[in-house]
Amino acid sequence: MAKDGVKDRTRHKSNFDVDYVIHYKIPATDQEAAEAEAAFTQLVKEVADVGFATEVRNGGKSSLLVFVKIASEKLLAKQVYRYRVQDWLYGVRASAPNQDLEQYFKDEPVSDAERLRLAYLLITKPKNEGGAGITPQVGAWKYVASIFPLHDRDFNRQWIKQWSTKYYLDSSDIDQIRDRFGERVAFYFAFLQSYFTFLLFPAAFGFASWLLLGQFSWFYALVNCLWSVVFFEHWKMKEVDLAVQWGVRGVSKIQLPRSQFQFDREAQDPVTGEIIRVYSPFKRFARQLLQAPFALACFVVLGTLIVSCFSIEIFITEIYNGPFKQYLTFLPTILLTIFTPTLTTLLTKLAERLTEVENYETKDAHQASFVQKIFVLNFITSYSPIFLTAFVYVPFGKILVPYLDVFQLTAQKFTTEGKPLPTKAWEINPDRLTKQVIYFTVTAQIVNFVTEVIVPYVKRRMSKAVEEVHSEISSEKKAELRVRDVPEEHEFLGRVREEAELDEYDVTVDYREMVIQFGYLSLFSVVWPLTACSFLVNNWVEARSDAMKIAISSQRPIPWRADSIGPWLNSLGFLSWLGSVTSAALVFLFHQSQHGPDGSPWDISGWALLLSILFSEHVYLVVQRIVRSAVHLMDSPGLQKERAERFAMRKQLLEQTFSQDLTEESHGPGLSGGEKITREALEEEARRISIKGNGTPEEQFWQRQRGASETIQIGRSLISEQATANITKSQK
């Protein structure tokens, strides 16, 4: 049977065959509890109607855990076949799926990632497209906190152990990630590994340059520029190759609609005749124009903060010579630490709101627009201090530093008798630029690792310990224990409750870190040639820490597909080009003397600087064209596979067209002639094994509630008990 080929034999049995967990929050007030109870009833009905078996358990902390799984392997086979046919129609697959389903699923079995992706689509797709239409925290589903798959703890332990003992990750490691977490996450790790491999050359060359050539070497700048071009063009080819090998090339053409999209009207497509939702492109363009004032606001707000702290730092460290100087030097860092995250968070929320206002129809378009805004924010916060030092502090220091007397005059008002503050004669700090680059390429990477991996882990452990102590002395613990876990499920439910409280994994954050890091290497490594050495060590650790973040600190990601790294590719190209301009300017300003100009712009030949920049940029463009042509001439396993598949498809079509036995062509059973799938049939099939005996623990888990009606009944009783407990607690 086809279902035997579809069934994923690697699924982790300790997860009781659960596909997804719906974390449902129970409000505290009596009125909201009634609303939540009605919404819960509707939730279970919706997911049951599209073919899911359901179970509900107490989630703790005034919440429920609704467990769902695709109840019939026949339904899964139907969904898999449907989406693979869709891939073929959109050109993602070279040939149509075989109608002999049993043989087809033996030849091309369903991976864990594909099953989970299709199950998630069934839950979240609009009802008019065959889904349940569940969108967490939106509209009628505002009490649905999250929908997440469960981690495979055994796989995670083996994964972390294996990666911790390997010096180099190969293609099989990336394929393993793809099969578990989908192509979107796999593309990130593939990019990280490719970037790590390419860093070997600039690390070795940078170390040699540091020993032999020193800083601001034009030869190092030229080689580094060539390297960035080669890496960028190589990765563009590499991601195409991976997309072909993974069977997802062109999958971005299959856009996932956004449930939040608000259309003006429905109209008939003049070409295809289908009914489409129309939103005025002029309205969207008018709203997209708001990106310009948004970028300006980012430059003004963050730029003012950075310039102010930069000026205070120069005044305290290089001009002020009074008491408490050793403590006051930390003032700019404290101000940046306090205000930068706050302002960045506010601007990020503004970016999210602005992207929502632009009202994109698909998730990919929405994400691409949001990434552009985030890149602007991170560009300002990451690179502005170095740009200020290199292109403002050094060439214009003698003109601008006298204006820093404003700090002295301000502080003087708070001194006794208004005495002037003790100062010293100002001179350019020759090591300032180098120290800044070292900080951002070494110290900041370490700080980021601590805040990203260690701090969340410690906070989670401390929070759990505090909750356990608090639960022991509170009546809430007693209320939660009124519905006790079945002993066979206690350990499992404990793990699920822990995972329900974890944050969702966002691969955008990891992409942002790597792209910004690439910018430091492309733009400023001519200042400190050992930059690539630092990044080489950091990225070896980064791959393992990101794996731990997925396995331990985050919910299991939805295994979405992708055929590239998305809009981050444009950011890489921009930084690669900007690196040619920045490196030329830095070499021109600092090559003769590593201290650079003496603070006076009159010593700088403007036309020579401009000529150097233009020459470097044109060399970059010429080299890019040459490298791009050379890379396209190279063959790759992915492109070879694509040609072989298309040749086989053409050959098969020709043989079928001219075959004398065309009329005797056999047809597979398809899906139309099978058994009619009903909710009752799906639930009965899920329990058919338990007719004799008690069955396995997995089977017993799905037999405790016979049907959606019983799930609704038990869930409503749990909501009522939780609401009563919350009201009693609030009255006390």
Side-chain angles (χ1 to χ4, degrees):
M1 297 295 292
K3 60 184 181 182
D4 297 327
V6 174
K7 186 173 182 180
D8 182 14
R9 305 178 187 279
T10 64
R11 300 188 66 213
H12 193 214
K13 287 298 181 182
S14 65
N15 283 341
F16 292 97
D17 289 336
V18 172
D19 285 326
Y20 277 91
V21 179
I22 302 176
H23 192 205
Y24 194 86
K25 290 292 187 180
I26 304 174
T29 64
D30 193 19
Q31 182 178 0
E32 290 182 326
E35 181 184 6
E37 184 175 335
F40 172 81
T41 302
Q42 186 65 23
L43 170 70
V44 176
K45 287 182 178 178
E46 296 292 353
V47 296
D49 286 343
V50 295
F52 284 96
T54 58
E55 290 281 332
V56 65
R57 300 291 188 272
N58 189 346
K61 295 184 180 180
S62 299
S63 68
L64 302 179
L65 299 174
V66 182
F67 298 90
V68 299
K69 75 166 183 176
I70 297 179
S72 169
E73 296 299 329
K74 293 181 180 179
L75 174 62
L76 176 61
K78 179 179 179 180
Q79 292 296 317
V80 172
Y81 188 82
R82 173 187 174 187
Y83 279 97
R84 290 184 180 179
V85 169
Q86 182 187 58
D87 288 348
W88 172 62
L89 294 175
Y90 276 88
V92 177
R93 289 176 171 267
S95 58
N98 188 353
Q99 292 186 355
D100 183 354
L101 298 186
E102 181 176 359
Q103 184 61 40
Y104 175 62
F105 287 121
K106 286 181 179 180
D107 296 337
E108 192 173 348
V110 181
S111 68
D112 198 41
E114 186 174 15
R115 177 188 178 108
L116 290 177
R117 177 175 59 85
L118 298 183
Y120 187 81
L121 288 174
L122 265 181
I123 297 172
T124 58
K125 276 194 317 181
K127 296 180 67 175
N128 60 355
E129 296 182 14
I134 312 297
T135 304
Q137 303 179 15
V138 175
W141 312 116
K142 60 183 178 180
Y143 299 115
V144 177
S146 60
I147 303 174
F148 61 95
L150 294 176
H151 277 294
D152 185 335
R153 296 295 179 95
D154 287 346
F155 169 79
N156 288 350
R157 281 192 291 268
Q158 183 181 3
W159 177 31
I160 299 301
K161 180 179 179 181
Q162 181 182 10
W163 280 30
S164 300
T165 56
K166 294 184 69 171
Y167 292 103
Y168 184 82
L169 304 180
D170 53 34
S171 59
S172 62
D173 297 308
I174 306 301
D175 290 338
Q176 193 178 40
I177 299 302
R178 175 225 172 190
D179 291 337
R180 289 285 175 171
F181 305 114
E183 286 81 8
R184 180 174 293 180
V185 175
F187 260 111
Y188 165 71
F189 281 99
F191 170 77
L192 179 58
Q193 183 57 30
S194 182
Y195 178 40
F196 173 81
T197 303
F198 263 75
L199 278 175
L200 293 172
F201 173 77
F205 181 73
F207 182 76
S209 298
W210 180 68
L211 292 176
L212 304 176
L213 302 177
Q215 297 174 282
F216 308 105
S217 166
W218 66 267
F219 184 65
Y220 174 87
L222 177 63
V223 173
N224 186 67
C225 180
L226 292 175
W227 173 86
S228 67
V229 174
V230 172
F231 170 69
F232 176 65
E233 295 299 330
H234 164 79
W235 173 252
K236 287 172 62 178
M237 191 73 172
K238 177 71 173 179
E239 67 178 12
V240 172
D241 186 53
L242 289 174
V244 173
Q245 292 187 55
W246 293 342
V248 292
R249 186 178 185 184
V251 77
S252 57
K253 300 175 186 176
I254 307 175
Q255 299 285 339
L256 296 175
R258 290 179 63 244
S259 58
Q260 298 88 346
F261 172 66
Q262 299 176 353
F263 56 94
D264 292 336
R265 57 189 174 84
E266 290 185 338
Q268 188 177 41
D269 190 307
V271 178
T272 63
E274 63 179 336
I275 301 299
I276 59 174
R277 295 175 175 179
V278 179
Y279 180 74
S280 173
F282 299 103
K283 284 186 180 180
R284 180 174 292 122
F285 179 72
R287 297 180 179 186
Q288 287 174 335
L289 291 177
L290 295 175
Q291 294 184 22
F294 170 77
L296 181 62
C298 294
F299 276 106
V300 171
V301 174
L302 294 175
T304 300
L305 174 65
I306 293 172
V307 170
S308 300
C309 293
F310 185 83
S311 303
I312 294 173
E313 181 187 4
I314 292 177
F315 175 78
I316 294 176
T317 58
E318 301 180 18
I319 299 177
Y320 178 69
N321 198 30
F324 307 110
K325 178 176 180 177
Q326 65 271 30
Y327 304 111
L328 291 175
T329 52
F330 294 103
L331 179 61
T333 303
I334 295 174
L335 293 176
L336 286 173
T337 303
I338 294 174
F339 290 105
T340 300
T342 303
L343 293 176
T344 301
T345 301
L346 292 175
L347 290 172
T348 300
K349 291 182 179 179
L350 178 60
E352 291 176 350
R353 179 57 184 161
L354 183 58
T355 309
E356 290 287 342
V357 169
E358 291 169 0
N359 194 28
Y360 291 99
E361 185 176 2
T362 63
K363 293 181 179 180
D364 287 346
H366 179 88
Q367 181 68 11
S369 179
F370 179 67
V371 165
Q372 290 176 355
K373 301 177 182 65
I374 293 299
F375 178 71
V376 171
L377 286 174
N378 285 272
F379 186 93
I380 297 172
T381 56
S382 301
Y383 305 140
S384 292
I386 302 179
F387 274 117
L388 284 172
T389 298
F391 302 115
V392 177
Y393 169 80
V394 172
F396 299 98
K398 287 185 178 180
I399 296 177
L400 298 178
V401 167
Y403 289 97
L404 299 181
D405 288 342
V406 65
F407 298 114
Q408 181 178 2
L409 296 175
T410 302
Q412 183 176 325
K413 295 179 180 180
F414 300 95
T415 60
T416 57
E417 301 178 359
K419 293 182 179 180
L421 297 175
T423 59
K424 62 180 179 179
W426 175 81
E427 293 181 356
I428 288 181
N429 182 358
D431 299 324
R432 181 179 182 83
L433 181 59
T434 303
K435 288 181 179 179
Q436 274 192 314
V437 173
I438 293 175
Y439 169 79
F440 282 105
T441 57
V442 179
T443 310
Q445 304 292 318
I446 298 174
V447 172
N448 180 69
F449 170 77
V450 173
T451 56
E452 186 182 46
V453 178
I454 298 179
V455 171
Y457 176 78
V458 173
K459 286 175 61 178
R460 190 169 61 255
R461 299 290 296 181
M462 292 180 62
S463 176
K464 184 177 180 180
V466 171
E467 288 177 2
E468 290 177 352
V469 173
H470 183 265
S471 298
E472 292 177 357
I473 60 176
S474 67
S475 59
E476 181 180 356
K477 182 68 175 178
K478 297 179 182 179
E480 290 181 0
L481 289 178
R482 289 176 184 172
V483 180
R484 297 181 180 275
D485 297 335
V486 177
E488 294 83 359
E489 302 174 4
H490 180 70
E491 181 181 357
F492 166 69
L493 293 177
R495 289 194 291 109
V496 176
R497 290 171 186 137
E498 289 181 1
E499 292 185 27
E501 299 300 325
L502 297 177
D503 295 329
E504 294 182 7
Y505 173 71
D506 185 4
V507 73
T508 300
V509 176
D510 291 332
Y511 272 129
R512 181 187 63 194
E513 293 176 6
M514 289 298 102
V515 170
I516 292 299
Q517 185 193 100
F518 174 81
Y520 284 123
L521 183 60
S522 178
L523 272 62
F524 306 118
S525 63
V526 70
V527 178
W528 192 55
L530 294 178
T531 297
C533 297
S534 171
F535 290 163
L536 186 68
V537 176
N538 175 84
N539 290 357
W540 190 93
V541 178
E542 182 74 19
R544 280 77 185 166
S545 64
D546 287 341
M548 290 184 61
K549 181 168 63 175
I550 294 176
I552 298 175
S553 303
S554 306
Q555 292 177 353
R556 182 173 178 174
I558 308 298
W560 293 118
R561 296 191 298 179
D563 57 4
S564 70
I565 63 174
W568 293 110
L569 186 65
N570 296 329
S571 301
L572 283 176
F574 171 74
L575 291 174
S576 178
W577 166 81
L578 187 61
S580 66
V581 176
T582 305
S583 297
L586 289 171
V587 170
F588 179 85
L589 291 174
F590 294 90
H591 179 64
Q592 297 298 329
S593 172
Q594 292 188 359
H595 300 163
D598 61 355
S600 174
W602 317 119
D603 299 331
I604 302 174
S605 176
W607 67 268
L609 175 60
L610 181 60
L611 185 63
S612 299
I613 292 175
L614 291 176
F615 177 76
S616 176
E617 182 190 21
H618 281 73
V619 169
Y620 170 87
L621 295 176
V622 171
V623 171
Q624 184 185 51
R625 181 64 62 87
I626 296 173
V627 172
R628 183 173 298 172
S629 300
V631 168
H632 279 236
L633 292 176
M634 298 179 182
D635 210 348
S636 65
L639 296 180
Q640 292 175 358
K641 177 184 176 183
E642 184 180 43
R643 288 200 305 272
E645 289 177 346
R646 296 195 180 279
F647 174 78
M649 179 190 67
R650 291 193 298 268
K651 182 179 179 181
Q652 181 182 7
L653 290 175
L654 288 172
E655 290 176 350
Q656 291 177 353
T657 302
F658 296 104
S659 174
Q660 295 180 354
D661 300 327
L662 183 62
T663 57
E664 300 176 4
E665 183 181 5
S666 60
H667 297 276
L671 295 170
S672 59
E675 177 186 357
K676 183 178 180 181
I677 297 177
T678 63
R679 180 156 55 90
E680 291 76 10
L682 296 177
E683 293 171 351
E684 188 60 30
E685 182 178 348
R687 300 186 178 88
R688 67 186 185 282
I689 306 175
S690 62
I691 297 177
K692 296 180 180 180
N694 294 327
T696 65
E698 291 79 12
E699 294 164 359
Q700 294 178 18
F701 179 85
W702 293 101
Q703 296 161 15
R704 301 192 191 282
Q705 298 164 13
R706 300 189 62 84
S709 59
E710 190 171 342
T711 300
I712 292 172
Q713 181 181 357
I714 294 176
R716 294 179 65 179
S717 65
L718 289 172
I719 292 175
S720 299
E721 291 182 10
Q722 289 281 359
T724 303
N726 290 335
I727 294 173
T728 304
K729 181 180 177 181
S730 61
Q731 291 176 349
K732 292 181 179 180

